[in-house]
Amino acid sequence: MENKYKQNTLRHWYLDEYEWNDEKVLLAYGQFYNRPRIANGRNGHTSIVQSVTINHEEKEFEIQTKNTLYHCSFDSCFFERQDDSPYKLPEYEAIKAEYYKPIDAEGLSKNDMILVVADYNAFYFEKLIYQNADGSEGDYSGYAHIGNYTDSYLIDGNKEYCEYEDKSEYIDIRYYVMGRGFEFYSLDTGGRNLWIENRGDSVLDIYGCGSPIELKPGKRILALKKDKRK
């Protein structure tokens, strides 16, 4: 990994504003690689950004702080987070149109859901994709629970589409967070098959849905097969 990226590389990065001494400043967030005194793959943020330039030849943004120049490739921008930021990068829309790779949900039926996870997200969670019974996009809430011994992440489905008497419609997914993955301790998918997709850069170990899963970066696996809903 040390030789794969340039010195002071940020991956799965985005820019956002931060309140500092009653003033809004710009920070870059992401995973550090080949940064002195910081472990490769560690999530964090830079010091205050001084300038942002675009390098088309290297296909990257160069983000300058007071003491460090960070290399941020176009294809590793965390576009979903950057879209939420009030700050826009130079030529952002054109670069997003070329390099953004949305999650492929084509062919996803009402009997399936995709849990999208990645090592660059806190608690690994990125997104849950599924359809309601009427074909509309499923909604959910996700939040972390900080425990005394280990943390967990909880995902609840939209209860407007769930009658409590009918447990087959209820979505309640919970997992313990571990060093290199997670373990489910509740896995109610509303009768849907559960697919898990790894959008990060490292292998994730997943337990609690049958046999242990070693999910490689960029791969999707059918982790739990349910009977088709009637």
Side-chain angles (χ1 to χ4, degrees), residues 5 32 47 51-52 56 60 79 91-92 102 115-116 124 140 145 158 162 165 182 190 193 199-200 219:
Y5 303 119
F32 293 97
S47 57
S51 66
V52 180
H56 283 289
E60 67 179 21
F79 290 103
E91 303 180 35
Y92 175 70
L115 175 63
V116 184
Y124 298 111
Y140 61 87
H145 174 74
N158 188 342
C162 166
E165 295 80 7
F182 52 92
N193 303 318
R199 297 267 284 185
K219 299 298 182 180

Side-chain angles (χ1 to χ4, degrees), residues 16-107:
D16 203 358
E17 291 181 336
Y18 181 77
E19 194 79 24
W20 177 260
N21 292 334
D22 298 324
E23 180 184 357
K24 287 185 177 180
V25 298
L26 197 64
L27 305 179
Y29 296 79
Q31 282 184 316
F32 293 97
Y33 286 94
N34 294 335
R35 175 75 167 89
R37 298 183 297 279
I38 297 180
N40 281 338
R42 180 178 176 182
N43 290 302
H45 63 77
T46 67
S47 57
I48 297 173
V49 172
Q50 305 293 318
S51 66
V52 180
T53 56
I54 189 168
N55 186 329
H56 283 289
E57 183 176 350
E58 295 293 326
K59 299 180 180 179
E60 67 179 21
F61 288 99
E62 295 175 345
I63 297 178
Q64 179 70 59
T65 63
K66 183 178 180 180
N67 298 311
T68 306
L69 178 68
Y70 290 94
H71 300 276
C72 306
S73 64
F74 296 159
D75 61 0
S76 72
C77 179
F78 198 164
F79 290 103
E80 289 89 345
R81 292 285 182 88
Q82 192 63 62
D83 283 344
D84 294 336
S85 173
Y87 185 87
K88 294 299 182 183
L89 293 159
E91 303 180 35
Y92 175 70
E93 296 299 335
I95 289 170
K96 179 184 176 182
E98 181 175 356
Y99 289 94
Y100 175 55
K101 296 180 180 179
I103 298 164
D104 183 10
E106 186 176 353

Side-chain angles (χ1 to χ4, degrees), residues 162-172 188-191:
C162 166
E163 296 182 5
Y164 289 99
E165 295 80 7
D166 185 0
K167 293 297 184 182
S168 67
E169 296 290 328
Y170 187 60
I171 296 174
D172 181 27
D188 293 325
T189 64

Side-chain angles (χ1 to χ4, degrees), residues 115 117 196-200 214-221:
L115 175 63
V117 293
I196 305 177
E197 180 170 329
N198 183 359
R199 297 267 284 185
E214 190 177 75
L215 189 55
K216 296 180 179 180
K219 299 298 182 180
R220 179 188 297 178
I221 192 170

Side-chain angles (χ1 to χ4, degrees), residues 27 46-47 63 78 85 104 121 127 132-133 137 142 147-148 151 164 178 182 187 192 213 216 218 220 225-226:
L27 305 179
T46 67
S47 57
I63 297 178
F78 198 164
S85 173
D104 183 10
N121 287 313
K127 186 178 293 187
N132 294 308
E137 181 179 350
N148 292 328
D151 299 333
Y164 289 99
M178 302 183 298
F182 52 92
L187 198 47
R192 299 171 179 84
I213 296 170
K216 296 180 179 180
R220 179 188 297 178
K225 186 171 179 60
K226 290 285 191 176

